[in-house]
Amino acid sequence: MADDVLVDIRGLKKYFPLRKGLSGFSPLKVKAVDGVDLQIRRGECFGLVGESGSGKSTIGRCILNLVRPTAGLIRFGDKIIFSDGGLRSGGLKSGGIHLSYKEMLPLRRDMQIIFQDPTASLDPRMRIGEIVAEGIKKHRIVSGADIEKKTGDVLELCGISRDLSSRRPGEFSGGQKQRIGIARALALNPRFIVADEPLSALDVSVQSQILNLMGDLRRTLGLTFLFISHDLRTVEYFCDRIGVLYLGALTETGSSADIIDKPLHPYTRALFSSIPRDNPGVKRRRIQLKGEIPSAINAPPGCKFHPRCLHAVDLCAQKTPVLEDAEPGHQVACHRWRELAAAVNGETAALGI
């Protein structure tokens, strides 16, 4: 693994058994994540986008070991969090690895999560000072009288006065609650944060404030982010690199500029064609997809996107494409990406763009 890679995921799968009434579970499984390879570099913000149910949040929770994967490998720094034993990477020998609660405790200081709904993620019975101090005490970040000072410092770093630490979450607005949730995550001095739709439950007027706060904290503290969102404009603004998920599989990864301006996969083109351009001189045709996203219980064979793809051929229904390098740092999983890219370039030239 390269020295600049903090999170390394190989062949990640997470299947959930389908409950079948009171009689137990059905043999069918929901394939929430189905063979994802992903690397997140130190200090970067990696954005994960896709339709609802594409597996974005499940990937984040698997990385944090909040959900046990079905198969694959997850490495954080030089520590293997999970391996099914089927992969050999960095000298890993056969035999599964799954860190226990006790084994994960030292890593919890380095990896934290910001939840989607700040109201649901904060205990309404606790004072916000207690909420932030809970992790500080558990991991012995500081001790004694320094706990109160550390708690106040982190709250103020996130825009909440330390004088309000005795109040309960119900006394704060949604944006303030999310600031408290961010403070709770930062209290352990983490290196990596999973931001799971951190803006979606907030008013539009507050979203930019929270996003700016996260950006400031990232630069000041040198944080690494996995930013999960369905808001494409936010991902474009905030993230260095972007991965596009469809039905539990990555269709394309690359720098934000590559994904926004030079999308190669038909799904990526359709997804980002819905974003209004800041420059009215830039022409972009809106691509309308046909049909609905298939069920993750019974995904189509071959390329999962082929039933909705305007460019699908017989090969797309027969063979599953793998991520391949289109250019350095830009990967795509599509059998026809080369000819489609050539066609798009020809169309762009004809328009004089």
Side-chain angles (χ1 to χ4, degrees):
M1 185 176 69
D3 292 338
D4 66 336
V5 174
L6 181 62
V7 179
D8 188 23
I9 300 172
R10 304 296 174 93
L12 180 65
K13 296 182 180 182
K14 177 55 186 177
Y15 297 169
F16 292 98
L18 190 66
R19 189 173 290 277
K20 188 180 180 181
L22 298 176
S23 61
F25 293 97
S26 163
L28 299 175
K29 296 183 184 297
V30 178
K31 297 181 179 180
V33 182
D34 197 17
V36 167
D37 292 348
L38 182 65
Q39 289 76 46
I40 302 174
R41 300 167 188 156
R42 300 175 194 273
E44 80 170 346
C45 180
F46 189 97
L48 206 52
V49 301
E51 295 174 78
S52 296
S54 60
K56 305 185 297 295
S57 296
T58 303
I59 289 176
R61 283 164 167 74
C62 284
I63 294 173
L64 298 177
N65 208 11
L66 300 177
V67 172
R68 179 171 181 168
T70 302
L73 179 144
I74 300 173
R75 188 195 301 266
F76 181 79
D78 59 357
K79 189 75 172 180
I80 295 174
I81 293 175
F82 175 85
S83 171
D84 62 1
L87 296 174
R88 296 177 181 269
S89 175
L92 175 66
K93 298 180 180 179
S94 61
I97 296 173
H98 180 239
L99 296 188
S100 65
Y101 172 83
K102 184 177 180 180
E103 292 171 325
M104 274 299 299
L105 274 180
L107 288 177
R108 295 290 181 210
R109 293 183 56 168
D110 289 328
M111 48 203 314
Q112 288 290 302
I113 184 169
I114 301 170
F115 292 99
Q116 177 177 358
D117 186 351
T119 299
S121 65
L122 300 177
D123 190 333
R125 299 165 298 179
M126 297 177 67
R127 303 181 191 277
I128 66 165
E130 296 171 337
I131 291 173
V132 175
E134 189 174 27
I136 297 174
K137 295 175 182 177
K138 176 72 174 180
H139 293 272
R140 300 176 182 176
I141 305 299
V142 295
S143 58
D146 291 335
I147 294 176
E148 184 177 350
K149 182 181 184 302
K150 172 71 173 177
T151 300
D153 289 345
V154 175
L155 282 170
E156 292 195 337
L157 184 64
C158 296
I160 301 293
S161 171
R162 67 177 69 229
D163 296 334
L164 303 178
S165 60
S166 62
R167 296 189 180 183
R168 290 182 168 83
E171 300 178 64
F172 295 89
S173 67
Q176 289 174 318
K177 290 177 186 176
Q178 193 60 294
R179 288 176 184 270
I180 296 165
I182 295 172
R184 175 177 58 187
L186 294 181
L188 302 185
N189 305 321
R191 291 187 287 160
F192 173 67
I193 291 181
V194 174
D196 187 6
E197 301 268 14
L199 309 179
S200 62
L202 305 178
D203 293 338
V204 175
S205 60
V206 179
Q207 290 180 359
S208 61
Q209 299 174 21
I210 299 300
L211 193 65
N212 289 334
L213 170 65
M214 292 171 62
D216 291 341
L217 293 171
R218 176 192 165 198
R219 289 185 290 271
T220 302
L221 304 176
L223 298 171
T224 302
F225 273 92
L226 172 61
F227 190 84
I228 298 168
S229 180
H230 64 272
D231 188 330
L232 305 180
R233 289 302 297 268
T234 299
V235 171
E236 177 185 6
Y237 166 77
F238 190 66
C239 299
D240 303 306
R241 291 194 301 138
I242 297 173
V244 183
L245 272 177
Y246 184 81
L247 215 60
L250 278 172
T251 61
E252 190 167 354
T253 66
S255 69
S256 295
D258 284 342
I259 298 296
I260 301 298
D261 298 326
K262 298 186 296 180
L264 298 176
H265 196 281
Y267 177 64
T268 310
R269 290 201 188 107
L271 198 64
F272 284 91
S273 72
S274 63
I275 304 179
R277 295 288 86 193
D278 294 329
N279 183 353
V282 176
K283 301 176 182 179
R284 175 174 286 185
R285 179 172 57 90
R286 176 71 185 272
I287 301 173
Q288 298 283 351
L289 294 178
K290 59 183 180 180
E292 299 291 334
I293 185 170
S295 169
I297 300 172
N298 187 24
C303 175
K304 295 181 179 183
F305 183 62
H306 86 263
R308 303 175 69 192
C309 183
L310 302 175
H311 310 284
V313 294
D314 290 343
L315 176 64
C316 302
Q318 298 166 2
K319 184 179 179 181
T320 302
V322 297
L323 279 174
E324 59 178 304
D325 291 326
E327 55 187 18
H330 192 175
Q331 296 181 307
V332 60
C334 176
H335 296 303
R336 303 190 63 201
W337 72 265
R338 289 180 178 82
E339 54 188 293
L340 295 177
V344 169
N345 290 337
E347 180 183 332
T348 299
L351 291 173
I353 297 174

